């Protein structure tokens, strides 16, 4: 089965980002595909390289980057939501790219299921 994932909440403020990551990881381990992960609303904060969590805490941004690198997953950040929060190409973490809502629509069309995490 092919999944699209949408993340609407930022790291460290809501469980949705962690749950989405764990869902994506489990999905891949079960042999399914992930067409795209789309970050929207505060979810775009998962994509900033400016995040520096303490050494004893999880690095949510680095986990997303590694997942994308290891599995070739397209991590797309909504341009409007990103710019509202000061996120631009210069401060994106590796593996993320900025694009428009058309990428979310296309993910919904291409995937068998679009799973949304967060409000």
């Amino acid at each position: 089965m092919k999944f699209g994932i949408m993340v609407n909440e930022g790291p460290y403020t809501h469980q949705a980002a962690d749950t989405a990551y764990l869902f994506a990881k489990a999905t891949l381990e079960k042999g399914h595909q992930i067409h795209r992960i789309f970050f929207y609303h505060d979810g775009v904060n998962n994509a900033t390289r400016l995040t520096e969590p303490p050494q004893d805490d999880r690095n949510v941004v680095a986990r997303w980057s590694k997942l994308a690198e290891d599995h070739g997953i397209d991590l797309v950040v909504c341009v409007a939501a990103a710019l509202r929060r000061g996120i631009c190409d210069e401060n994106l973490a590796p593996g993320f790219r900025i694009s428009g809502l058309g990428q979310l629509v296309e993910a919904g069309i291409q995937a068998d299921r679009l799973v949304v995490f967060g409000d």
Side-chain angles (χ1 to χ4, degrees), residues 6-10 13-17 40-43 116-119:
M6 181 171 156
V7 181
N8 289 329
E9 303 291 344
T13 58
H14 197 280
Q15 186 63 35
Y40 194 44
H41 300 300
D42 283 339
V116 179
F117 293 89
D119 296 332

Side-chain angles (χ1 to χ4, degrees), residues 2-94:
K2 189 186 299 184
F3 288 90
I5 298 173
M6 181 171 156
V7 181
N8 289 329
E9 303 291 344
Y12 312 110
T13 58
H14 197 280
Q15 186 63 35
D18 289 306
T19 305
Y21 169 78
L22 293 173
F23 175 83
K25 193 173 170 189
T27 297
L28 294 166
E29 288 171 359
K30 293 291 184 182
H32 300 290
Q33 296 176 320
I34 297 177
H35 175 69
R36 175 173 296 132
I37 302 176
F38 191 85
F39 297 86
Y40 194 44
H41 300 300
D42 283 339
V44 300
N45 290 315
N46 285 278
T48 178
R49 70 175 48 210
L50 302 177
T51 302
E52 291 189 37
Q55 288 182 343
D56 63 341
D57 198 359
R58 70 213 184 284
N59 189 329
V60 177
V61 176
R63 290 191 315 187
W64 285 119
S65 292
K66 178 142 177 49
L67 190 73
E69 179 183 344
D70 291 349
H71 299 281
I73 297 172
D74 189 20
L75 303 179
V76 177
V77 180
C78 174
V79 63
L83 292 176
R84 283 188 199 109
R85 291 159 180 85
I87 297 172
C88 56
D89 286 328
E90 290 77 31
N91 56 21
L92 278 181

